Amino acid sequence: MNLGHTLRWAVHLRPSQIGWRLLRRLQRAFLQLPMGAPNGPLRFLTDPWPGNAENGKRIASDGRILLLNLEHRLATPIDWHPCHKPALWRFTLHYFNWLADLKAAGRADAARALIADWIYQNTSPRSEGWHPYPLSLRLFAWLRHAPFVLEGADEHFRTLFLSSLDAQARLLPRLIEYDVGGNHLIKNLKGLIAASACLPTHIDGLSAWLEALRKQVDEQILPDGFHYERSPSYHLQVLVDLIDISDLMQEPPAWLNETIERMLPALATLRHPDGGLALFNDGDTGDAVLLEALDRRFGKPAPLPLLPDAGYARLEAGDMVVIFDAGLCCPDHLTAHAHADTLSFEMSVGTQRVIVNSGTYAYQDPDWRNYFRSTAAHSTIMVNGQNSAEVFATFRLGRRPAKAELFRDGDWIVGRHDGYRHLGITVERRLRLTAQGLEGEDRVIGAPNPLFSACFHMPSRDEEASGQFIRLSSEGQLAVHEGQYAPHFFEKVPARWLKLSPEPAGSNAISWKINRL
């Protein structure tokens, strides 16, 4: 690990983060699982999100589960900590969100057997299943699906299940992720609010946890309605979390519903005409079933042309849509899901994505993690073959843009950033969408004879797939490279990326057009 990278990352951490991180490490050695009491819930949560009946049948009948495009044997004896699976996948297994799939398949018997097996096998609070993030999601999932799993259950299972619920709700307040913050902290508070609303021995904490959530919402949701980690995927997650919290309240506070109303059009701004999410920062194109359920419930709010605080712009002309990122990478203290993607854009013609960013693929894959985070993996401008932000380790950034601008200049939208200030360079991209297609002007300012290029990623290696919709033209020098496209986690397909360089070399500007055919 490069010491310079680490120092440039650490200098942005808040002192409280460092303090909480040290406390958590000391705490881990002495952590004990509290005893739980089998108290029945005062009330149950609503269940508005549909499950996948096919996956539920696979779990119950075949003893196999499909999560994040990876399958695993889920028949006794169950391996709840498969070391051959990535950490994100193992976390997802411990979320128990897949209870919705068993519910859709009508297999409460299988749900009870798996829950009981988990309780018997996961008795150490220092194992990954008790990490506060999966703990928060599992606590909420068990409370949400309690009516389903308890109906027809014998007294032994009922006591086992309710005692474990109570124990999890007692442990979570000791593990709140103040050292991480962001969407993790929202998940922690969601679990605690649900426990306080549903479990009789936790009701006294409801007001305090709601106030803690309000403070986080004030910090994390920007004035334009977008989540401050600037990832469409995590914006969607936080939006659903807040909807779930609102649903469990008999009288939701006004600030909560007002926040949801602001977040919905912000989400629409980052959705392509195919209904999926744009690939900026970490995440994927989204769960189509979840997005459709959101649309059925809330309708389809009109996208916004500009999210000035998050730094996104949306251009539309005919059946063409362009989504442009000219914002900062992330909150400076929270770099986990940031990519070096400033001034990147994605483009659709109808429901066909024709220019994309490469996606995320995996968090813990050392061969691919920081390729997918790199500037070269995005449809943006790259100087001297370097990243516009120093991506390293799994979730860290060293140097990154300190200033990013997004503004209109007549019928052009203009983005500018200083991620290459160590080279004495500012980078600018100007975009204009007309009925004929997208025009772009890329420029580097501040250094003589710069070496820079514009990258354009296409979601398929098949030239005809995008070529039937668009054609890139420029007086610059064009090179074609093999690339990778990851529309979902652990799904990676061969793709193409085009590298456009100024002609003659050393020029500080290049113009290009993507013509609609």
Side-chain angles (χ1 to χ4, degrees), residues 62-261:
D62 301 337
R64 304 196 67 80
I65 188 169
L66 182 67
L67 299 173
L68 299 177
N69 297 301
L70 298 177
E71 199 172 70
H72 177 61
R73 183 179 181 275
L74 204 65
T76 54
I78 296 169
D79 182 2
W80 291 101
H81 306 277
C83 60
H84 62 285
K85 288 289 195 293
L88 175 63
W89 192 96
R90 299 195 303 270
F91 266 32
T92 305
L93 179 64
H94 289 278
Y95 297 166
F96 272 80
N97 284 337
W98 42 267
L99 286 176
D101 301 342
L102 287 168
K103 181 180 179 182
R107 293 301 302 269
D109 57 328
R112 287 191 288 270
L114 291 168
I115 288 171
D117 190 86
W118 187 92
I119 294 171
Y120 287 132
Q121 289 203 50
N122 290 270
T123 57
S124 170
R126 289 178 290 279
S127 66
E128 65 188 352
W130 290 94
H131 181 285
Y133 192 76
L135 168 57
S136 300
L137 275 83
R138 182 176 60 254
L139 177 59
F140 193 91
W142 284 18
L143 285 168
R144 165 168 281 167
H145 296 292
F148 164 62
V149 299
L150 289 175
E151 185 177 1
D154 60 29
E155 192 59 32
H156 173 73
F157 175 82
R158 183 180 180 85
T159 299
L160 183 72
F161 176 73
L162 294 176
S163 296
S164 181
L165 261 180
D166 187 55
Q168 293 176 59
R170 290 175 186 272
L171 183 63
L172 183 54
R174 307 179 200 173
L175 302 176
I176 297 173
E177 294 176 90
Y178 295 118
D179 57 325
V180 178
N183 71 88
H184 279 231
L185 192 46
I186 298 289
K187 286 284 195 300
N188 301 158
L189 293 170
K190 175 182 175 179
L192 291 166
I193 290 168
S196 298
C198 297
L199 300 177
T201 53
H202 299 270
I203 194 169
D204 291 343
L206 182 58
S207 296
W209 299 130
L210 274 173
E211 177 60 18
L213 178 68
R214 185 192 63 76
K215 291 179 180 178
Q216 287 303 312
V217 164
D218 286 347
E219 177 182 3
Q220 294 192 31
I221 308 306
L222 300 170
D224 58 21
F226 208 72
H227 186 249
Y228 76 161
E229 291 185 67
R230 294 173 171 83
S231 158
S233 286
Y234 284 96
H235 177 90
L236 173 62
Q237 282 194 27
V238 171
L239 171 60
V240 170
D241 289 337
L242 297 184
I243 291 169
D244 285 341
I245 293 168
S246 177
D247 285 348
L248 68 86
M249 307 297 298
Q250 293 179 342
E251 295 184 9
W255 60 263
L256 181 56
N257 287 340
E258 289 168 0
T259 301
I260 292 168
E261 290 300 316

Side-chain angles (χ1 to χ4, degrees), residues 358-370:
S358 295
T360 299
Y361 181 60
Y363 289 158
Q364 284 81 27
D365 189 318
D367 294 328
W368 289 107
R369 171 57 172 160
N370 284 327

Side-chain angles (χ1 to χ4, degrees), residues 12 222 226-231 280-281 307-312 324-335 337-344 388-389 397 400-406 416-419 421:
H12 294 287
L222 300 170
F226 208 72
H227 186 249
Y228 76 161
E229 291 185 67
R230 294 173 171 83
S231 158
F280 297 103
N281 293 312
L307 296 176
D309 304 292
Y312 287 110
F324 180 42
D325 173 11
L328 295 173
C329 298
C330 56
D332 272 337
H333 69 284
L334 181 54
T335 64
H337 300 297
H339 288 203
D341 64 354
T342 310
L343 301 190
S344 66
S388 60
L397 284 187
R400 78 290 299 261
K403 183 178 181 181
E405 300 175 76
L406 175 66
R416 190 181 293 152
H417 77 80
D418 66 350
R421 62 189 178 279

Side-chain angles (χ1 to χ4, degrees), residues 484-511:
Q484 298 289 333
Y485 177 54
H488 300 285
F489 279 97
F490 305 109
E491 178 186 336
K492 175 164 53 70
V493 297
R496 286 192 312 149
W497 67 283
L498 310 180
K499 184 178 179 181
L500 183 63
S501 302
E503 187 68 36
S507 300
N508 74 332
I510 187 170
S511 298

